[in-house]
Amino acid sequence: MAAYGLYTHIASNKTRSILLLAGLFGLIYVMVFAGALIAEAMNDGYLAFETYLALAWRDLLQALPYATIGAVVWIAIAYFFHQKIIDAMTGGHAVTRQEQPRLYNLLENLCISRGIPMPKLKIVDDPALNAFATGLNRRQYSITVTTGLLNALDDREMEAVLGHELTHIRNGDVQLLVVAIVIAGVVGFFAELVFRIFFHASWRFGRGRSSSDDNRRGGGAGAVILFAVALMAVAWILSLVVRFALSRSREFLADAGAVELTKDPDAMICALRKIEGRGELPSATSGVMEMCIDNPRQGFANLFATHPSVDARVAALVRYAGGHDPGPLPLPAPDSGDEEMDLPQTRPPGPWDDTQAPQPPVAGSPTGTPLGPWGPRRSPWR
């Protein structure tokens, strides 16, 4: 379905995201089917190719409940423990209004204006410019920003970033992305497990059989094993591509949501231009970087990039929200007020300060100190 305008673009991306997630979950069953093919080939190596497919399909139907339960358990573990894991990796810690009044007030105003429950606010002590939202339920929701982002963005731009992350929470993007990462992890884990079992078993099997048995086994079984391995590899690659495509679509939605909250597309554009290429968090895993407002890590030919380019995001905001692109922006220079704090605090000399520049002697003053109407002038600070 073609998208015309900002809000139909959002609705279209939501539909595609749901379909992508369903396809990602379906890859689990593809992996189970490939594993069943390998198991049947290892069990009896002298059958027709079609027979192996029928046996593997039967095994898949029997294993469907267990595969589904296993995936659900994996998701449940992430539901309860993912926030602690992310905080441990990034060093994020919760802050209060007293600790970060500027950031806290900006987020609170956005929440009050739209009747949104206030998420937790967390800070990561890192010079990188980035932010991300996490949580799978209302009690877990939190928005984390880096100290580098706080120092580089003004209030309008910071409000746009907070609106971006708040939109991820409002639209359910956080839950969707966490589930997608977990399911992709299930696919990768299962693929690695089957490969380890297969290669270990084939090595033992190869040592214990005669060459005639190997030749006999190399017919239909060999073709099935190659097919299953190729199927697993394709499923694993597709899980990565689908996961990254899912993340890319949500970033466009969050940018649009930030503009809807702040009514200021230029602030979102300027924030993206300042963040561009400066968001690398060395301690974060690839899964955490997928949740960030910008992920500078990119793969081959941009196929494995989890985020659309800043140019593409800015172009969407210019086209659909009426913003203006200033082009790449440098980071602001350090605040001159901070530099002045390091200098000695001296008071400029006043008209009655005897520390000012020497004056010529005045008649009637043996010391040469200028005489006022009541005698020698004295500093009021002495």
Side-chain angles (χ1 to χ4, degrees):
M1 180 181 69
Y4 302 96
L6 182 61
Y7 293 102
T8 54
H9 185 76
I10 294 174
S12 177
N13 273 330
K14 284 183 177 179
T15 302
R16 286 197 297 267
S17 297
I18 294 174
L19 293 176
L20 286 173
L21 184 60
L24 186 61
F25 198 87
L27 290 178
I28 295 178
Y29 303 122
V30 174
M31 300 295 290
V32 173
F33 179 73
L37 281 174
I38 293 178
E40 291 294 343
M42 297 296 295
N43 183 54
D44 190 347
Y46 200 66
L47 297 175
F49 186 86
E50 294 77 7
T51 304
Y52 285 121
L53 293 179
L55 293 174
W57 180 256
R58 181 203 61 188
D59 296 339
L60 172 63
L61 294 179
Q62 294 177 351
L64 274 178
Y66 304 101
T68 304
I69 293 174
V72 171
V73 170
W74 197 297
I75 294 173
I77 293 173
Y79 180 89
F80 290 105
F81 297 106
H82 85 282
Q83 187 64 58
K84 294 182 179 179
I85 296 173
I86 292 174
D87 290 341
M89 285 188 300
T90 61
H93 58 277
V95 294
T96 62
R97 186 195 302 272
Q98 291 72 24
E99 294 171 320
Q100 288 289 339
R102 171 202 172 204
L103 190 62
Y104 197 98
N105 290 336
L106 288 173
L107 180 59
E108 187 179 53
N109 290 339
L110 284 175
C111 293
I112 291 175
S113 66
R114 293 296 186 272
I116 305 171
M118 178 80 172
K120 298 176 183 177
L121 194 58
K122 297 186 177 183
I123 297 291
V124 173
D125 296 322
D126 195 284
L129 275 61
N130 229 322
F132 56 89
T134 52
L136 290 174
N137 58 58
R138 184 169 296 182
R139 290 178 298 176
Q140 293 180 342
Y141 290 148
S142 65
I143 295 177
T144 304
V145 301
T146 62
T147 53
L149 192 71
L150 281 173
N151 296 330
L153 271 57
D154 61 27
D155 285 356
R156 289 176 55 242
E157 296 159 352
M158 181 57 66
E159 186 179 44
V161 170
L162 293 175
H164 175 101
E165 300 304 333
L166 201 58
T167 300
H168 276 312
I169 295 176
R170 291 177 67 196
N171 292 351
D173 299 347
V174 177
Q175 301 98 314
L176 191 67
L177 189 55
V178 169
V179 172
I181 293 173
V182 171
I183 293 176
V186 172
V187 173
F189 172 79
F190 187 78
E192 182 178 358
L193 179 64
V194 171
F195 277 121
R196 286 179 179 273
I197 293 175
F198 167 67
F199 285 114
H200 182 64
S202 62
W203 178 74
R204 290 189 306 168
F205 174 79
R207 291 197 311 169
R209 297 184 65 91
S210 64
S211 58
S212 61
D213 290 333
D214 288 338
N215 294 333
R216 184 170 172 264
R217 197 175 184 83
V224 165
I225 290 175
L226 290 176
F227 175 72
V229 170
L231 198 61
M232 284 186 175
V234 171
W236 178 73
I237 293 174
L238 284 178
S239 71
L240 296 179
V241 173
V242 169
R243 192 179 90 192
F244 295 155
L246 184 63
S247 179
R248 287 194 293 265
S249 66
R250 310 312 284 186
E251 292 307 313
F252 284 115
L253 295 178
D255 291 342
V259 174
E260 192 272 333
L261 283 172
T262 63
K263 311 300 181 185
D264 192 352
D266 290 341
M268 187 70 240
I269 291 174
C270 290
L272 289 173
R273 285 303 186 186
K274 288 184 179 180
I275 294 171
E276 183 178 9
R278 303 182 177 105
E280 176 65 30
L281 291 171
S283 61
T285 64
S286 60
V288 174
M289 292 302 299
E290 289 178 38
M291 300 179 182
C292 292
I293 190 172
D294 184 41
N295 183 5
R297 302 177 186 175
Q298 296 183 357
F300 176 74
N302 206 34
L303 178 65
F304 296 103
T306 64
H307 287 53
S309 67
V310 170
D311 289 336
R313 294 166 69 177
V314 169
L317 291 173
V318 170
R319 178 180 179 183
Y320 296 110
H324 303 85
D325 182 14
L329 293 176
L331 292 181
D335 188 0
S336 59
D338 295 338
E339 296 177 355
E340 292 175 0
M341 292 178 63
D342 297 331
L343 298 175
Q345 299 297 315
T346 58
R347 175 183 51 79
W352 294 279
D353 196 346
D354 57 6
T355 61
Q356 61 187 355
Q359 299 183 11
V362 179
S365 174
T367 61
T369 303
L371 291 176
W374 296 280
R377 294 175 179 171
R378 300 294 182 185
S379 170
W381 288 280
R382 297 182 62 183

